[in-house]
């Protein structure tokens, strides 16, 4: 009898109370801190890969920042390249790295924490998912906004700042701490609705796919 029980315990296919339609997979077997690190790495790579495009956008948004009054991406790109050189597309990337890593770690950790608390064990609670996304945005934007402001100032050639810490020091002494959060409310108002819809849709789609293809849950386990 003991031998039979031990054989069942050692059998990886033996799952006595496994119901694929009710079971939600556990985060690919990773620990919570591992997801924070993965989110930080993904966030840094995402922002840094698209940094040249972000530089062009910043130049187009700032009146008079380009030598010619650019109205298209191609004109702005050519203007920056001709007047400042290729390195101008990466001016301020250090500030982006300092902000994106911690912000994305906060983003994923706050979302997972709030989702667990708000959903109260109900994986179909779309309101909880949306509210968790809003909380994640509020927290992550609070971390990212100061460095985003520094990044935008460094991207412009006429800013006069020597680097990240020179910009931080001068803004703090000349404009005060509030200058780092001048755009925080606008950023949250822009990102919160997007994140709420994003996570509510994401969780609903994930749950729907798990119900349609329960074998995918079995594979993740």
């Amino acid at each position: 009898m003991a031998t039979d029980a031990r054989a069942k315990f050692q059998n990886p296919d033996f799952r006595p109370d496994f119901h694929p339609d009710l079971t939600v997979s556990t985060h690919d077997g990773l620990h919570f801190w591992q997801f924070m690190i993965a989110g930080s790495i993904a966030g840094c790579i995402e922002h840094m890969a698209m940094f040249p495009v972000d530089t062009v956008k910043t130049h187009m948004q700032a009146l008079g920042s380009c030598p010619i009054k650019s109205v298209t991406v191609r004109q702005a790109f050519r203007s920056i390249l001709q007047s400042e050189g290729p390195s101008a597309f990466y001016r301020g990337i250090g500030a982006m790295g300092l902000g994106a890593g911690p912000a994305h770690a906060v983003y994923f950790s706050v979302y997972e924490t709030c989702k667990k608390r708000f959903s109260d064990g109900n994986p179909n609670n779309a309101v909880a998912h949306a509210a968790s996304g809003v909380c994640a945005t509020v927290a992550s934007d609070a971390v990212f906004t100061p460095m985003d402001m520094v990044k935008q100032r460094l991207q412009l050639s006429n800013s006069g700042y020597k680097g990240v810490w020179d910009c931080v020091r001068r803004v703090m002494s000349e404009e005060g701490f509030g200058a780092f959060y001048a755009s925080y409310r606008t950023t949250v108002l822009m990102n919160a609705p997007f994140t709420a819809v994003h996570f509510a849709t994401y969780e609903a789609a994930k749950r729907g796919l798990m119900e349609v293809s329960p074998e995918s849950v079995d594979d993740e386990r």
Side-chain angles (χ1 to χ4, degrees):
M1 191 74 175
T3 305
D4 186 47
R6 186 166 52 253
K8 289 182 178 180
F9 177 79
Q10 294 174 348
N11 184 2
D13 296 327
F14 177 70
R15 293 167 188 154
D17 296 318
F18 176 60
H19 301 285
D21 57 329
L22 299 176
T23 304
V24 179
S25 60
T26 57
H27 299 302
D28 301 328
L30 297 179
H31 294 288
F32 190 69
W33 64 269
Q34 291 174 313
F35 271 90
M36 292 180 63
I37 294 177
S40 298
I41 295 173
C44 289
I45 294 176
E46 168 201 350
H47 286 286
M48 291 181 179
M50 298 304 297
F51 196 81
V53 178
D54 185 70
T55 298
V56 172
K57 183 201 72 170
T58 301
H59 276 255
M60 294 177 68
Q61 289 175 329
L63 296 177
S65 62
C66 289
I68 61 175
K69 299 295 189 244
S70 305
V71 292
T72 66
V73 174
R74 179 176 296 181
Q75 286 178 323
F77 183 88
R78 185 183 298 116
S79 174
I80 297 170
L81 186 62
Q82 292 177 350
S83 62
E84 304 176 46
S87 62
F89 292 106
Y90 294 93
R91 187 186 297 118
I93 196 171
M96 174 64 75
L98 290 173
H104 278 73
V106 169
Y107 185 79
F108 286 102
S109 61
V110 170
Y111 174 74
E112 293 295 338
T113 301
C114 290
K115 182 177 73 170
K116 183 178 180 180
R117 181 180 296 271
F118 294 162
S119 62
D120 195 24
N122 180 12
N124 297 319
N125 193 337
V127 175
H129 299 152
S132 301
V134 172
C135 292
T137 294
V138 171
S140 64
D141 284 346
V143 176
F144 186 69
T145 297
M147 283 295 104
D148 187 56
M149 183 277 291
V150 173
K151 179 264 301 181
Q152 290 180 349
R153 296 199 179 193
L154 292 175
Q155 283 176 320
L156 303 178
S157 59
N158 57 0
S159 64
Y161 299 110
K162 299 178 181 179
V164 174
W165 300 117
D166 178 60
C167 180
V168 171
R169 180 182 56 80
R170 288 176 55 182
V171 169
M172 180 69 75
S173 61
E174 297 171 7
E175 305 175 45
F177 182 78
F180 291 103
Y181 286 92
S183 63
Y184 176 66
R185 293 182 181 180
T186 304
T187 302
V188 170
L189 287 174
M190 178 182 66
N191 290 338
F194 161 79
T195 310
V197 174
H198 170 78
F199 275 114
T201 305
Y202 166 74
E203 295 289 351
K206 184 173 68 173
R207 183 67 181 177
L209 291 173
M210 289 166 60
E211 292 176 354
V212 172
S213 303
E215 63 275 7
S216 63
V217 182
D218 200 22
D219 293 339
E220 290 187 5
R221 291 171 64 89

